[in-house]
């Protein structure tokens, strides 16, 4: 049985005060961490304050890192620094990073390796554009992104990676992939992982769905066999909605 993982991707939202208010409100309401991983992914300057207040059942993550440990890379944040704040997770290769900031599959691969080196669990995001889905290229896109991102990652390291399937056309648009569509693509990813590794890695890798997940659709999405959790943008900004969604995952395991 794979432990569900519910992660709120705050993107570039929330001031320090708003973030602290949120964490104080939700941290005691999260399901037991032995049963569900609940994570908030925030802007890097908030790491120290949030990790300090995460409590027993919530964990904090960053939304990006740079793959070098130090150097003349003005404006970047290193895995080494994040690790010193006891950050547990980092999102790698979010479509906004790929599309707005031009991040390539090769950079995604280096960033995953940097996160693993510092014992930060990477959430690897993959997903297709609408045009690619319409042209029946979804599987090809997922295959290219995942094969490149996992290049040189060992079977043992795969135990510390989460994959998030996020169709770009469903992010922030209110259009959710139907639960069957999401499950089918997550299933394709699971089969691909089997081809790249083996049955055990494929059975144990956790695959989230992301794209307009909210309290109204999370139960249905989580009922699908290949979906092990959700990466949630907009709806994760509201503490009550986040509490509901983390606890929806608990229902799946009980
Ligand atoms: P959304 O964002 O839930 O607002 O669609 C998801 C994401 O970008 O991770």
């Amino acid at each position: 049985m794979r432990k569900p993982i519910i992660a709120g991707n705050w993107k570039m939202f929330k001031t320090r005060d708003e973030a602290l208010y949120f964490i104080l409100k939700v941290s005691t309401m999260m399901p037991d961490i032995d049963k569900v991983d609940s994570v908030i992914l925030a802007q890097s300057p908030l790491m120290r304050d949030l990790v300090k207040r995460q409590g027993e059942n919530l964990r904090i993550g960053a939304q990006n890192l740079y793959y070098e440990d130090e150097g003349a890379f003005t404006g970047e944040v290193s895995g080494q620094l994040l690790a010193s704040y006891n950050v547990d997770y980092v999102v790698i290769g979010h479509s906004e990073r790929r599309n707005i900031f031009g991040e390539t599959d090769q950079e995604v691969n280096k960033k995953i390796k940097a996160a693993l080196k510092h014992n930060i669990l990477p959430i690897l995001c993959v997903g297709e554009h609408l045009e690619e889905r319409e042209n029946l290229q979804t599987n090809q896109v997922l295959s290219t992104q995942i094969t490149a991102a996992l290049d040189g990652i060992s079977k043992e390291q795969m135990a510390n990676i989460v994959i998030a399937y996020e169709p770009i056309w469903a992010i922030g648009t209110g259009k959710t992939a139907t639960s069957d569509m999401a499950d089918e693509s997550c299933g394709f990813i699971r089969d691909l992982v089997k081809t790249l590794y083996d049955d055990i890695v494929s059975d144990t890798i956790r695959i989230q769905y992301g794209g307009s997940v909210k309290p109204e659709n999370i139960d249905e999405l989580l009922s699908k066999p290949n979906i092990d959790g959700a990466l949630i943008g907009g709806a994760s900004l509201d503490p009550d909605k986040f509490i509901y969604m983390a606890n929806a995952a608990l229902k799946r395991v009980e």
Side-chain angles (χ1 to χ4, degrees):
M1 188 74 182
R2 297 180 291 266
K3 180 161 48 143
I5 170 164
I6 301 298
N9 173 15
W10 280 357
K11 310 192 180 187
M12 206 176 72
F13 289 98
K14 291 203 188 286
T15 62
R16 178 173 179 269
D17 285 350
E18 288 165 350
L20 293 181
Y21 169 80
F22 180 108
I23 296 296
L24 287 180
K25 184 155 183 190
V26 311
S27 62
T28 55
M29 305 293 282
M30 293 293 101
D32 193 314
I33 199 166
D34 292 336
K35 295 187 174 148
V36 176
D37 283 319
S38 307
V39 185
I40 285 294
L41 305 153
Q43 296 181 71
S44 289
L46 290 170
M47 296 294 110
R48 182 168 181 271
D49 283 332
L50 300 192
V51 169
K52 243 165 66 182
R53 294 169 176 85
Q54 66 187 2
E56 274 177 33
N57 296 320
L58 180 67
R59 290 296 174 262
I60 304 301
Q63 299 171 5
N64 184 27
L65 54 66
Y66 193 61
Y67 49 81
E68 298 289 352
D69 283 349
E70 57 182 12
F73 304 106
T74 303
E76 294 296 315
V77 173
S78 68
Q80 178 170 269
L81 180 67
L82 292 174
S84 75
Y85 284 115
N86 296 318
V87 166
D88 286 302
Y89 292 84
V90 63
V91 180
I92 303 287
H94 190 278
S95 59
E96 285 150 20
R97 300 252 14 122
R98 295 176 189 259
N99 297 328
I100 304 172
F101 302 101
E103 212 164 277
T104 65
D105 284 331
Q106 288 64 40
E107 285 167 327
V108 167
N109 176 250
K110 288 184 188 173
K111 289 180 176 198
I112 288 183
K113 288 176 179 160
L116 292 170
K117 174 179 164 194
H118 293 290
N119 294 318
I120 302 172
L121 193 150
I123 299 178
L124 162 64
C125 299
V126 293
E128 81 286 0
H129 287 277
L130 182 57
E131 203 188 347
E132 292 164 337
R133 177 159 284 267
E134 286 171 351
N135 292 335
L136 308 178
Q137 292 166 330
T138 301
N139 292 353
Q140 181 55 48
V141 170
L142 296 178
S143 176
T144 304
Q145 289 177 339
I146 290 173
T147 307
L150 299 180
D151 184 43
I153 303 293
S154 71
K155 195 173 136 172
E156 291 69 33
Q157 287 175 311
M158 286 300 285
N160 296 317
I161 291 184
V162 169
I163 299 177
Y165 167 61
E166 297 206 304
I168 294 162
W169 47 271
I171 296 179
T173 57
K175 284 187 206 157
T176 326
T178 64
S179 56
D180 285 335
M181 217 186 250
D183 187 53
E184 193 190 323
S185 290
C186 292
F188 172 80
I189 293 172
R190 200 173 294 291
D191 287 344
L192 178 67
V193 168
K194 191 192 289 193
T195 315
L196 295 174
Y197 295 91
D198 59 20
D199 282 341
I200 299 176
V201 178
S202 160
D203 285 345
T204 50
I205 183 92
R206 293 184 294 172
I207 304 174
Q208 297 174 302
Y209 167 76
S212 299
V213 178
K214 49 188 181 236
E216 293 78 7
N217 59 23
I218 193 160
D219 293 292
E220 163 79 12
L221 287 161
L222 293 181
S223 72
K224 296 293 171 184
N226 285 303
I227 302 178
D228 304 313
L231 182 55
I232 307 151
S236 75
L237 295 168
D238 177 319
D240 293 323
K241 289 183 183 175
F242 189 71
I243 291 167
Y244 178 90
M245 293 186 285
N247 285 286
L250 184 60
K251 283 186 259 163
R252 187 193 194 237
V253 285
E254 279 183 337

